Amino acid sequence: MRFPRFFTKKRGHRRTDSHAWGSFAEGLFYALLVAAGVVFGLLLVTGAVTYAPADPDSVVLQRGYEWWMWLLTLLIPVALLAFGGSGLVRVVRTWGKSQEHRAAASRTVILDGLAGPAPAVPGHPGVPSCDNLENSPGIVLRYRLPLESPENWTLVGLGLFALLWNAVVVVLAVGVGADLVGGTTDWFLIGLLVPFVAVGVGGVVLFVRATVLSTSVGPTHVEISDHPLVPGMSYDVRLGQGGAHLFRSIDLGLELEETATFRQGTDTRTQRLVVRRVPVSRWQRVQPVPGGSFEARVAVTIPTDAMHSFSSENNAVQWRIVVRALPDRWPEFTRVFPVVVVPVKAVATTASPEAVESLE
Amino acid sequence: MNGVDAEHGDGHVPAVSVPSFPRIELRFGHPGRGYQPGEWVTVEYCIEGLRGERPRALERSALWYTEGKGEEDLGVHFFERFCTLETIDRVVPEGTFAFQLPTSPLSYEGVIVKIRWCIRLRVFFESGRDHVSEHVFTVGRVPPSVLP
């Protein structure tokens, strides 16, 4: 048996550090947690301190803990034992097994996974599930696609920020007001209050502006005749754009976006990159019907050489229908409707297991 | 053949630089190593340079893995492990195996996400070291992505 080397070589971009040392260090870490849990628990149960601090001359023979106090006290050692024990079992179970062996046992293994597992379309490994995209029927066409708009998240974020910040401002203001009513003036607190109020007012203004922007241009609806989509096939898409204003232009197209999640130092980052744009239709000088909305129906063809949708824990390739509109008096906005593209049906087989047996 | 040989467990070292490591020749049923989803893949391999050292186990697998900016994900589609004397003699030093490809994922050459399919043969020796040989092939015909 040869002792494993501590430092190893790199091969391209692939990680090739010593798995033996890595597993050993991981096992040692979990073993230490278990040991800490055992020691901590024994100390608590047996009692390391057997005298009363208030009366050092007296020996304590029995301590009057309630049952809930015991539970609370044992919470930390039990958590250490559970975490360390489960980790130790996992290290022992995977010890000496190759990457493929471990992956085969769990069908898919994620190396240092950063996100949760992605459910797949049955019969299409790696293709993300489209359950959430098909649970809303359309008015005219079969499905109404859900909206995935980053503007909505910005709106929620601004609203939360304005709410929390101004709650702090109110607490400070109440303190300053109480001081003034009591006849004292805390200039430091007043000086602190001024920038806090300015930021709070700014937050409210930004939130109101974002709300007005998202509501004034009206909602966008997209319906599709079928789902999931297949390369080379055409689908009817119905666009509905609400709003009382004139739109200088409205563009509808397909986009393919790659998403990669990676660690950078201690941070987890996600990069998104649009690698393919397929323009479908463009309308100019659009004036929705007063009280109604602009309606259009177009055919969208998925390119025959399109990559199918793919999703694993840290990587994804996603297709989406994108609507970009430029209102006459408002900034341009983008609304995204994800879709799932499945691969073209498998071809007929060209060999069989019997043919392989004959080779052996 | 388009393969990468490496010693594993205590490091990756190109097999050609250290003559005592075995060399694994692998031949695909398709000369171009290009397959369509659902197609059967047949593989013949030959392990040379064992120099009398007896393998403790052999693993044959077909898998996809991601490359690019994100953390690596990996999915095994086909896996066989031979670890008894009787079975080892049947698959070492040469052997053949076959498997049917799934419908997805297809090989993909993206900008920050790439998906590759490969065959891996991993030989475990009595000394404790192991040697892995990786042979890439393609599934489907998706053209490489370029920035618009």
Side-chain angles (χ1 to χ4, degrees), chain A residues 50 61 65 69 87 101 105 126 137 162 181 183 211 248 281 297 339 351 357:
Chain A
T50 53
L61 298 177
Y65 282 163
M69 182 62 96
H101 196 171
V181 169
T211 307
R248 287 188 214 170
S281 197
R297 192 161 164 168
V339 289
E357 289 298 322

Side-chain angles (χ1 to χ4, degrees), chain B residues 3 16 19 29-30 41 49 58 61 65 74-76 79 84 86 92 99 105-106 112 134-136:
Chain B
V16 289
H30 277 195
V41 177
L58 174 77
S61 55
Y65 60 85
L74 176 146
V76 170
F79 180 79
T84 62
E86 187 182 300
V92 173
F99 58 91
L106 304 182
I112 59 171
E134 183 176 300
H135 307 264
V136 176

Side-chain angles (χ1 to χ4, degrees), chain A residues 119 128-136 143-147 227 338 340:
Chain A
S129 167
C130 40
D131 292 345
N132 288 335
L133 308 181
E134 297 175 355
N135 53 10
S136 179
Y143 299 115
R144 176 176 165 176
L145 295 174
L147 172 69
H227 197 268
V340 170

